[in-house]
Amino acid sequence: MEVRTTSYHLSIIFIQMKITKIFITLLLCATVISCSNDDNMVESLVGQTGDLIVKFDNGVGDQDLIFDVSYDKSSNESYKLTSVKYIVSNIELTKSDGSTFMYPEIENAFIVDEADANNAGEIYITLNDVPAGDYTKISFGVGIDQERFQKGADGQGNLLAEAQEKEMLWSWATGFRFIRLDGVYSDATVTDEALNIHMGSVGTSLDNYREVSLDAPNTVIVREASTPEVHIKADIAKVFDGQTSVLFADGYNQVHTDETTTPVIADNLMGIFMIHHVHNE
Amino acid sequence: MAILWSCDSDSPEISYTPTYLQVEQPANFPEIQYNLSNNPVTQEGFDLGKALFYDGKLSANNSIPCAFCHEQAFAFTHHGHTLSHGVNGGIGFRNSQPMQNLAYFSEFMWDGAASHLDLQPIIPLTSELEMGETLSNVVDKLKADTYYQSQFPLAFDDGEINSENILKALSQFMLMMVSSNSKYDKYVRNEEGVTLTEVELQGQNIFENKCSSCHATDLFTDQSYRNTGLPINAKLDDTGRFKVLENPEDLYKFKVPSLRNVEKTFPYMHDGRFATLTAVLNFYDSGMVDNGNVDESLKRSDGSFGISLTENEKVQLIAFLKTFTDNEFLNDTRFAEY
C-alpha cells in the first residue's frame, strides 16, 4: 500500500518536471502535502486493529485425521489415534516490511485439541486486537519455552489450570506436555499395542521447545473490518516420519521424558506445519 | 467531584494497596533463589496463601488441606507417618518433606520434579493419592467463596481468582517460612552469647568430617541427588530421580535433604523407613547395600559402602543435629492455623 502510493507520487513528479521547471516549487508543496496525506493514511492503519483466525487442520499425509482410523507408516507399522493435542505459543506475525507483532504473552499459549475440531476437522484460534497490516509470515513455538516456564505462575493467568484440564500437564511433576498422541499401533508381530506420545520439556533439565516459521502463500490482510483466516495444515504422520523416521518397535510407542527419544519427536514435530492457504475477507 | 462521585457509589471498588513484606536473608544462608520481583510478597498475599494452605477446598473431598501432611510443630511434616494418606484412602509413596527455607532452593520434591516453587503445589493437589483435585475445580470453588472473593482483590492487582494467583499466594506464604534461629544459627552468627556444649562441638567436628560434603552450607544440603545405598523396598520400587528424566544414572537417587529441624521431622529417608536418628546413623555405619549406583563418596577405602561411626560418635552427632532445632520457627504464630 505504502509502496504503491510512493511510486504514484514519483510518477507525478516525473511528468510534471517534463512540463516545466516553474512548477517545481508548486510541485514540492504538493509533494509535502501529499506526503502528509500519506502519513495520515499510515497512521490510521497503525491505530487500527483487527482479528486474525488461525485454523489448525490435522491430517495424516493426504488424508484427514479421524480418530480410530488406521493409518500406515514406514516399516510396515500402522497406528490408530484417540487423542491428538499440542500446545502452540508465542505466535508472532511478520509484515511485508519485516516488522513484527508478538501477540501479548499472557494470551499467547493455546492448546490445539483435535477433540475441539469442527466437522471439517478444523480447530480455530482467534487473535484479537492485532495491528492492521499486511502480514506475510507467521511463526510460533510448539510447547512452552524455558523463559516462560521458569516464571512459575507469573504472567500465566489460568494457563496451568487449562493445561491440566486438557491433560497437558504431567501429573507426577510440574511441566507441560507439548504434544499428546494416544492410541494403539500394530506391526508384523503385535496388534493394537499401546501408543502414547507425551512429549514435553522436563523441568529445566531438558528443553524440547521448538520454533516454527511459516511463509504465507498470499498476504494476510488484517483490518478492523477484515478478519483473515490462516489455514494451517498439520501432518501428524511427520511426527513419526519427519526429519527422522522412528519405529514404534524401537521404543517410540512410549515417549515421555527420555532424553534420547523426546528431542527426536520434538524435531519432527517442528516440521509438521504448513500454511495451506489464507482467506482474506 | 471525583471524591463525591466515589462516595456516592454503591459498590466501592476494593482497592489494591498492599503492605510489602521482606523475605529474610539470614547472614549464614545461601542467596534467595526465588525471583521475588515476579511475585513480591505482601501481607495480603501471605494471608491469602495461609488461608489456602489450611483450606480443605484444595482437595477433592474438601477435607485434606496442604496442612494435613504438613504440621507446623514437626517442621511442617506429617507427624510420625512414614507415608501419608490422602483422599479416598490413597497412600502416597514418599515421606512428606518439611517446609522451611524454600526461598533458598531451586528444585523441590524428593526427586526434583518441580523446578519452580510456584509449580510445586500442583503435584500434591492433583495427585490421586494426595488431594485428588484439579486446578480448575479449585478455581471454581474459590470463586463461590465470599472470603476469597474479597481477599484476591486485596492480594493481587488484577484481583483474578485463577491458577496464577492461587499459586503465587501459596508461594508467598511458603517464602516467609524461614527457619534460621536455631541454637546452631545463633552460635555461628555469634548472637546472644550462645555456645555449643562439649558434646555438641565434638558432633560438629564429626559432621564436618563425614557429612558436610553432601549436607553442605547452612541449609545442610548441596541440593544434589544421590543414591545412598538404601535397600530397595520392592513394594514401592521407587526409582527416585529416574522418574523425572528416565536416565539410568539417576536410578534410586533422591535429593539430599536439609537437616534443619531434623529432630522433629521423623521418620526419615524418602520413604520414612527409619523412625529415629539413631536408626539413620546405624544405616550409614553398617546398613548400606550396593544397588548398582551408590554414590562414590560413600565408598570406603576397602571398597565397601558406608560411613563408619562409633557408638560414641553417633551420640555426639545426634547432639549436634539437635542444635538445628528452631523453636522460634516451630512456634511462630504467623504460620499457625489458629
Side-chain angles (χ1 to χ4, degrees):
Chain A
M1 189 84 178
E2 239 177 301
V3 175
R4 248 188 289 146
T5 326
T6 315
S7 59
Y8 175 68
H9 289 299
L10 282 174
S11 41
I12 293 174
I13 293 165
F14 197 71
I15 295 159
Q16 292 195 351
M17 276 176 76
K18 269 184 177 174
I19 298 169
T20 169
K21 288 179 181 175
I22 294 168
F23 287 103
I24 287 175
T25 320
L26 280 171
L27 172 68
L28 282 172
C29 292
T31 311
V32 169
I33 291 162
S34 55
C35 277
S36 48
N37 282 343
D38 220 20
D39 286 350
N40 287 340
M41 280 179 65
V42 173
E43 273 168 21
S44 68
L45 201 59
V46 165
Q48 199 190 119
T49 59
D51 297 341
L52 183 155
I53 292 169
V54 186
K55 290 199 259 182
F56 284 89
D57 182 4
N58 294 320
V60 178
D62 55 5
Q63 305 178 52
D64 267 346
L65 170 75
I66 300 170
F67 286 150
D68 291 315
V69 167
S70 178
Y71 298 102
D72 292 335
K73 73 173 275 298
S74 58
S75 306
N76 295 317
E77 293 185 319
S78 65
Y79 57 96
K80 294 185 248 183
L81 298 173
T82 51
S83 74
V84 173
K85 306 175 192 184
Y86 44 84
I87 295 177
V88 166
S89 67
N90 300 336
I91 298 182
E92 187 177 55
L93 304 166
T94 306
K95 281 189 194 167
S96 44
D97 66 4
S99 62
T100 58
F101 168 67
M102 177 65 90
Y103 201 59
E105 182 189 346
I106 191 162
E107 306 289 341
N108 205 352
F110 307 88
I111 299 166
V112 178
D113 181 355
E114 179 68 19
D116 295 336
N118 61 18
N119 287 345
E122 297 158 347
I123 304 111
Y124 282 47
I125 284 176
T126 305
L127 306 182
N128 303 117
D129 299 323
V130 175
D134 299 345
Y135 296 95
T136 56
K137 204 158 94 174
I138 179 167
S139 30
F140 54 85
V142 188
I144 297 292
D145 66 80
Q146 287 288 307
E147 195 187 330
R148 183 193 284 264
F149 183 66
Q150 283 171 43
K151 285 184 183 171
D154 186 51
Q156 303 310 308
N158 221 24
L159 176 66
L160 286 156
E162 285 158 17
Q164 199 213 335
E165 206 167 331
K166 285 283 191 193
E167 298 180 301
M168 293 299 270
L169 269 192
W170 304 109
S171 50
W172 50 271
T174 54
F176 292 89
R177 296 174 172 132
F178 296 173
I179 186 169
R180 179 176 184 131
L181 303 179
D182 296 304
V184 292
Y185 81 99
S186 301
D187 61 18
T189 54
V190 302
T191 304
D192 288 351
E193 287 284 310
L195 171 64
N196 303 93
I197 309 294
H198 298 175
M199 186 277 292
S201 290
V202 183
T204 52
S205 314
L206 181 61
D207 183 7
N208 281 322
Y209 173 79
R210 296 289 186 275
E211 280 174 346
V212 176
S213 183
L214 305 173
D215 289 320
N218 54 302
T219 309
V220 184
I221 301 165
V222 176
R223 298 290 184 275
E224 195 178 344
S226 163
T227 302
E229 294 178 359
V230 179
H231 191 116
I232 295 180
K233 285 208 163 195
D235 185 357
I236 299 301
K238 289 184 176 162
V239 174
F240 309 117
D241 287 306
Q243 268 185 45
T244 309
S245 276
V246 300
L247 278 180
F248 296 140
D250 285 347
Y252 281 90
N253 59 324
Q254 293 295 327
V255 175
H256 299 270
T257 59
D258 184 274
E259 57 190 345
T260 313
T261 58
T262 54
V264 171
I265 295 296
D267 290 340
N268 279 355
L269 186 56
M270 200 167 60
I272 75 169
F273 303 99
M274 60 98 72
I275 301 181
H276 188 263
H277 60 271
V278 175
H279 293 290
N280 286 303
E281 271 176 20
Chain B
M1 273 301 279
I3 294 163
L4 284 175
W5 178 262
S6 54
C7 284
D8 287 344
S9 171
D10 283 339
S11 54
E13 289 280 305
I14 300 166
S15 60
Y16 174 69
T17 48
T19 306
Y20 290 97
L21 300 177
Q22 189 77 28
V23 178
E24 262 181 79
Q25 177 64 67
N28 55 325
F29 274 29
E31 274 181 34
I32 293 174
Q33 297 291 307
Y34 190 89
N35 187 342
L36 290 165
S37 60
N38 280 347
N39 185 22
V41 180
T42 64
Q43 184 64 51
E44 294 78 3
F46 173 89
D47 292 344
L48 174 59
K50 179 173 163 180
L52 291 166
F53 181 80
Y54 284 104
D55 195 336
K57 281 199 175 73
L58 269 63
S59 67
N61 63 6
N62 294 319
S63 61
I64 312 267
C66 307
F68 187 81
C69 301
H70 297 284
E71 301 168 55
Q72 183 179 15
F74 307 96
F76 294 94
T77 57
H78 199 178
H79 178 220
H81 288 67
T82 52
L83 307 175
S84 298
H85 38 109
V87 294
N88 306 320
I91 302 284
F93 61 98
R94 287 185 189 150
N95 182 245
S96 156
Q97 286 188 288
M99 295 171 62
Q100 53 197 357
N101 306 330
L102 298 172
Y104 317 94
F105 284 79
S106 51
E107 292 180 326
F108 307 90
M109 311 300 276
W110 277 108
D111 56 8
S115 49
H116 196 293
L117 184 60
D118 292 355
L119 304 178
Q120 188 283 334
I122 299 173
I123 298 176
L125 194 146
T126 61
S127 163
E128 285 174 16
L129 301 173
E130 298 181 53
M131 296 160 84
E133 194 39 290
T134 69
L135 287 169
S136 329
N137 265 346
V138 171
V139 169
D140 290 344
K141 284 193 239 177
L142 301 186
K143 278 182 176 170
D145 183 307
T146 51
Y147 166 74
Y148 292 112
Q149 286 165 8
S150 60
Q151 192 65 23
F152 274 80
L154 294 174
F156 295 103
D157 202 5
D158 67 10
E160 295 281 341
I161 301 181
N162 60 17
S163 52
E164 171 172 350
N165 289 340
I166 291 169
L167 296 169
K168 279 182 164 177
L170 283 168
S171 282
Q172 290 188 29
F173 178 61
M174 292 189 281
L175 288 165
M176 295 300 289
M177 296 163 83
V178 179
S179 173
S180 62
N181 290 313
S182 65
K183 182 178 184 183
Y184 168 83
D185 290 296
K186 291 179 182 177
Y187 167 71
V188 294
R189 293 197 303 253
N190 295 315
E191 287 169 8
E192 301 167 23
V194 172
T195 54
L196 297 190
T197 64
E198 187 64 25
V199 66
E200 287 164 351
L201 286 168
Q202 285 161 343
Q204 182 182 27
N205 189 39
I206 299 160
F207 187 83
E208 282 168 1
N209 284 318
K210 300 190 176 180
C211 313
S212 67
S213 63
C214 299
H215 293 287
T217 78
D218 276 2
L219 292 179
F220 306 113
T221 168
D222 63 357
Q223 305 196 30
S224 66
Y225 303 89
R226 295 171 191 260
N227 177 345
T228 54
L230 278 169
I232 291 153
N233 179 343
K235 197 174 266 183
L236 295 170
D237 193 31
D238 189 345
T239 50
R241 177 125 177 109
F242 176 79
K243 292 190 181 209
V244 177
L245 280 161
E246 296 177 17
N247 180 348
E249 288 176 16
D250 287 340
L251 272 169
Y252 307 114
K253 284 186 183 174
F254 295 90
K255 171 68 101 18
V256 175
S258 167
L259 301 176
R260 294 235 152 229
N261 292 303
V262 71
E263 179 188 5
K264 303 288 183 182
T265 63
F266 56 90
Y268 304 104
M269 309 319 227
H270 68 271
D271 53 6
R273 69 176 68 188
F274 299 133
T276 62
L277 288 170
T278 306
V280 174
L281 297 184
N282 286 341
F283 159 75
Y284 278 121
D285 179 48
S286 59
M288 274 190 206
V289 297
D290 184 358
N291 58 29
N293 193 30
V294 182
D295 204 84
E296 280 300 308
S297 68
L298 295 167
K299 207 173 215 168
R300 295 189 181 97
S301 50
D302 68 356
S304 64
F305 287 103
I307 303 169
S308 302
L309 294 165
T310 65
E311 292 309 304
N312 198 29
E313 283 177 323
K314 289 174 194 170
V315 171
Q316 291 164 339
L317 253 184
I318 290 170
F320 177 61
L321 293 174
K322 287 183 177 177
T323 69
F324 303 165
T325 302
D326 178 357
N327 287 310
E328 289 175 33
F329 173 74
L330 298 171
N331 297 303
D332 192 327
T333 53
R334 289 177 302 160
F335 311 124
E337 184 170 13
Y338 304 111

